[in-house]
């Protein structure tokens, strides 16, 4: 069967004629309706995000508390080798997901793309479910990160009430997201640059410390891999206990990587998306993976998994970044001036990650409104900002005020577990959606070599991600079934998202009587002609000298 790449867009209505002169035939009415339906997912947001904004936006979403704070829980529970392997394997899973999503988004760069693709290629019920789950996943990240900023502030002696700190940090996120997207992009570029500089500096510092270059002069090497050992036990002794510890921490690693796909969420507001999205996908993944995996490996050399400060950080609600293994390594090395500086960076990182989650949640919800799976009033926007969606995300994010009457660390780990499971379910759905897109291209005779971005090793990456994500999501709460451990706190966070997802999917399917989309009916075309017509107008910036070439490689 021949491809449809040369199909022309539906005829544009001739607005030069007066209403009396325009024909009113049924064919014309139908044409206008089809045209409006085809373009409804394009939206009216401004494409003001440059390549550097998009790349640092993804870094800001991923380089946050999962690395600087949450990695301490992984190290103390599972040991250094398990922590290293967990982040490496989960990083490969992210590679599968972000490449699958990126190929679809480069083909059709629209706001909050994933739910729209699911509705077109799989089932409108999956689009509805994925849209609301994506919104919830990102929106729930806002109170998580605000929670951590409050915890981090405790590093310094202050008398500011907790409720005041929550309000200050939370209100700042809301205000930034009320400005046009260019302002948001510049803010995230600034904070992303701080994170990038800090993580590179921390990797170098951990390397120096383990070689004995710290003031203490202690050459650590692989000492802590020998005693207490590379793998810890969990619930059971011996090999089984070490395997259970290794399995348990996959959920925290998933939480740490969550948000990396924001580069695709922003595709509807990106300049020249068919150039900048593939560029960001190729670079952001490797940067995030290398930073995460290398940083976890080195800090696992510098800090014992049995370090009292690391072990007691969660249960004792240790102040500030004292919960971070990086700060513990610096303190143990006898470096007295850096902990406060690192704490300030962790503070800015947490706030920046929350700000990115806030942005992403509003765009996913806006896309759902364009698709008709969210209330129509959520499409309301001014100056390229979907203010109705900002209001909805603000309302859900008020969960952060749970901190007022609860320990912040406990709230952080409870909500982060829920967020991670939601991430796994969403990633599996995205990869299944990609498989439908892959086979729809094949059915229409379109060679993937002609795509704006062709992800490697497909469809095998998508199949791997589906199996991996579902397996972790189904079995991550295994420990709650051990004798004496079952409770609402141990059972609800690992599993509450599964019935929510199923209820949304089958509820919408029953209410709207939706049908599974056949490969032959998958709509891979609507809106593409409009994007194709805009593509020649997008500027391609070329470096004029070697300094600009270096800068363009970085950003």
């Amino acid at each position: 069967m021949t491809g449809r790449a040369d199909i022309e867009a539906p005829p544009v209505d001739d607005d030069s004629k007066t209403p009396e002169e325009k024909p009113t035939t049924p064919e014309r009415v139908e044409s206008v309706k089809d045209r409006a339906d085809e373009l409804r997912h394009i939206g009216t947001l401004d494409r003001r995000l440059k390549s550097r904004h998009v790349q640092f936006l993804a870094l800001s979403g991923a380089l946050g508390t999962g690395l600087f704070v949450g990695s301490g829980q992984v190290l103390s529970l599972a040991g250094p080798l398990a922590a290293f392997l967990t982040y490496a394997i989960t990083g490969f899973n992210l590679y599968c997901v972000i490449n699958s999503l990126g190929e679809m988004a480069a083909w059709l760069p629209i706001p909050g793309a994933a739910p729209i693709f699911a509705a077109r290629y799989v089932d409108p019920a999956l689009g509805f479910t994925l849209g609301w789950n994506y919104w919830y996943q990102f929106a729930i990240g806002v109170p998580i990160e605000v929670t951590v900023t409050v915890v981090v502030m405790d590093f310094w002696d202050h008398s500011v009430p907790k409720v005041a700190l929550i309000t200050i940090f939370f209100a700042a996120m809301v205000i930034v997201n009320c400005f046009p997207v260019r302002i948001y992009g510049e803010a995230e570029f600034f904070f992303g640059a701080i994170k990038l500089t800090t993580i590179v500096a921390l990797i170098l510092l951990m390397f120096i410390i383990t070689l004995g270059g710290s003031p203490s002069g202690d050459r650590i090497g692989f000492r802590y891999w020998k005693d207490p050992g590379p793998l810890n036990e969990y619930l059971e002794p011996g090999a089984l206990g070490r395997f259970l510890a290794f399995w348990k921490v996959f959920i925290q690693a998933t939480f740490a990587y969550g948000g990396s796909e924001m580069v695709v969420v922003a595709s509807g507001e990106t300049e020249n998306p068919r150039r900048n999205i593939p560029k960001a996908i190729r670079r952001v993944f490797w940067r995030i993976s290398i930073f995460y995996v290398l940083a976890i490996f080195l800090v696992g050399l510098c800090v014992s998994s049995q370090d009292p400060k690391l072990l007691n950080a969660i249960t004792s609600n240790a102040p500030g970044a004292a919960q971070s293994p990086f700060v513990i390594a610096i303190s143990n090395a006898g470096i007295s001036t850096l902990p406060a500086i690192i704490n300030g960076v962790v503070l800015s990182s947490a706030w920046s990650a929350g700000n990115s989650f806030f942005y992403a949640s509003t765009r996913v919800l806006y896309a759902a409104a364009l698709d008709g799976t969210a209330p129509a009033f959520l499409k309301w926007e001014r100056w390229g900002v979907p203010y109705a969606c900002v209001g909805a995300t603000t309302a859900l994010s008020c969960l952060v005020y749970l901190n007022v009457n609860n320990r912040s660390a406990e709230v952080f780990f409870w909500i982060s577990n829920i967020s991670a499971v939601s991430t796994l379910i969403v990633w599996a759905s995205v990869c299944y959606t990609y498989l439908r897109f892959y086979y729809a291209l094949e059915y229409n005779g379109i060679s993937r070599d002609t795509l704006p971005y062709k992800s490697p090793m497909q469809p095998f990456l998508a199949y791997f991600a589906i199996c991996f994500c579902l397996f972790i999501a189904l079995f991550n709460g295994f420990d709650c079934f051990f004798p004496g451990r079952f409770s609402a706190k141990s059972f609800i966070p690992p599993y509450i998202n599964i019935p929510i997802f199923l209820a949304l999917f089958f509820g919408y399917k029953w209410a709207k009587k939706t049908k599974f989309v056949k490969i032959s009916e998958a709509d891979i075309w609507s809106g593409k002609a409009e994007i194709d017509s805009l593509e020649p107008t997008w500027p391609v910036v070329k470096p004029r000298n070697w300094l600009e070439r270096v800068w363009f490689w970085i950003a």
Side-chain angles (χ1 to χ4, degrees), residues 128-252:
F128 169 81
T129 307
L130 199 56
W132 284 103
N133 265 265
Y134 240 130
W135 172 69
Y136 166 78
Q137 173 198 328
F138 285 133
I140 203 71
V142 177
I144 291 173
E145 303 298 343
V146 174
T147 294
V148 175
T149 59
V150 174
V151 173
V152 168
M153 281 296 298
D154 291 339
F155 182 88
W156 296 284
D157 292 330
H158 65 82
S159 58
V160 182
K162 183 183 291 187
V163 67
L165 288 175
I166 291 172
T167 302
I168 291 170
F169 291 123
F170 181 40
M173 291 180 188
V174 176
I175 292 170
V176 169
N177 280 274
C178 286
F179 285 109
V181 70
R182 183 68 178 271
I183 304 298
Y184 164 80
E186 294 296 347
E188 285 310 307
F189 177 75
F190 173 75
F191 285 113
I194 293 176
K195 289 183 186 182
L196 197 60
T197 304
T198 302
I199 194 62
V200 170
L202 283 175
I203 287 172
L204 291 174
L205 183 58
M206 295 299 108
F207 184 68
I208 292 170
I209 289 174
T210 195
L211 291 179
S214 65
S216 67
D218 185 16
R219 187 182 181 92
I220 301 172
F222 281 85
R223 178 192 308 164
Y224 298 132
W225 284 52
K226 297 176 182 177
D227 183 23
L231 297 168
N232 292 347
E233 297 173 352
Y234 181 61
L235 297 180
E236 294 286 340
L240 177 59
R242 289 189 287 272
F243 172 77
L244 293 178
F246 171 66
W247 185 263
K248 182 62 183 175
V249 294
F250 270 106
I251 202 69
Q252 272 300 322

Side-chain angles (χ1 to χ4, degrees), residues 373-396:
T373 54
F377 76 87
L378 292 171
K379 290 189 287 187
W380 185 75
E381 60 89 6
R382 288 291 184 275
W383 307 293
V385 180
Y387 284 109
C389 297
V390 170
T393 296
T394 301
L396 180 64

Side-chain angles (χ1 to χ4, degrees), residues 173-341:
M173 291 180 188
V174 176
I175 292 170
V176 169
N177 280 274
C178 286
F179 285 109
V181 70
R182 183 68 178 271
I183 304 298
Y184 164 80
E186 294 296 347
E188 285 310 307
F189 177 75
F190 173 75
F191 285 113
I194 293 176
K195 289 183 186 182
L196 197 60
T197 304
T198 302
I199 194 62
V200 170
L202 283 175
I203 287 172
L204 291 174
L205 183 58
M206 295 299 108
F207 184 68
I208 292 170
I209 289 174
T210 195
L211 291 179
S214 65
S216 67
D218 185 16
R219 187 182 181 92
I220 301 172
F222 281 85
R223 178 192 308 164
Y224 298 132
W225 284 52
K226 297 176 182 177
D227 183 23
L231 297 168
N232 292 347
E233 297 173 352
Y234 181 61
L235 297 180
E236 294 286 340
L240 177 59
R242 289 189 287 272
F243 172 77
L244 293 178
F246 171 66
W247 185 263
K248 182 62 183 175
V249 294
F250 270 106
I251 202 69
Q252 272 300 322
T254 299
F255 167 72
Y257 282 114
S260 302
E261 70 270 39
M262 280 186 208
V263 61
V264 179
V265 173
S267 61
E269 295 172 272
T270 303
E271 289 183 355
N272 200 350
R274 292 200 169 136
R275 176 180 178 273
N276 290 329
I277 290 175
K279 177 182 175 183
I281 288 171
R282 294 188 188 100
R283 297 179 182 180
V284 166
F285 165 75
W286 290 111
R287 291 171 186 177
I288 291 174
S289 295
I290 290 172
F291 292 151
Y292 263 101
V293 175
L294 188 57
I296 293 297
F297 173 72
L298 290 172
V299 80
L301 294 177
C302 296
V303 180
S304 167
S305 62
Q306 301 294 324
D307 189 293
K309 287 173 283 187
L310 190 66
L311 278 175
N312 296 332
I314 300 169
T315 56
S316 66
N317 201 20
Q323 297 183 61
S324 170
F326 296 96
V327 173
I328 293 173
I330 293 169
S331 299
N332 291 347
I335 304 173
S336 58
T337 57
L338 277 181
I341 297 174

Side-chain angles (χ1 to χ4, degrees), residues 42-47 111 268-269 363 366 381 384-386:
I42 301 297
T44 55
L45 303 183
D46 296 331
R47 292 189 179 274
E269 295 172 272
R363 270 46 181 187
Y366 177 73
E381 60 89 6
V385 180

Side-chain angles (χ1 to χ4, degrees), residues 335-362:
I335 304 173
S336 58
T337 57
L338 277 181
I341 297 174
I342 299 301
N343 197 75
V345 173
V346 173
L347 177 66
S348 69
S349 297
W351 187 88
S352 172
N355 194 37
S356 294
F357 284 133
F358 199 112
Y359 164 82
S361 68
T362 61

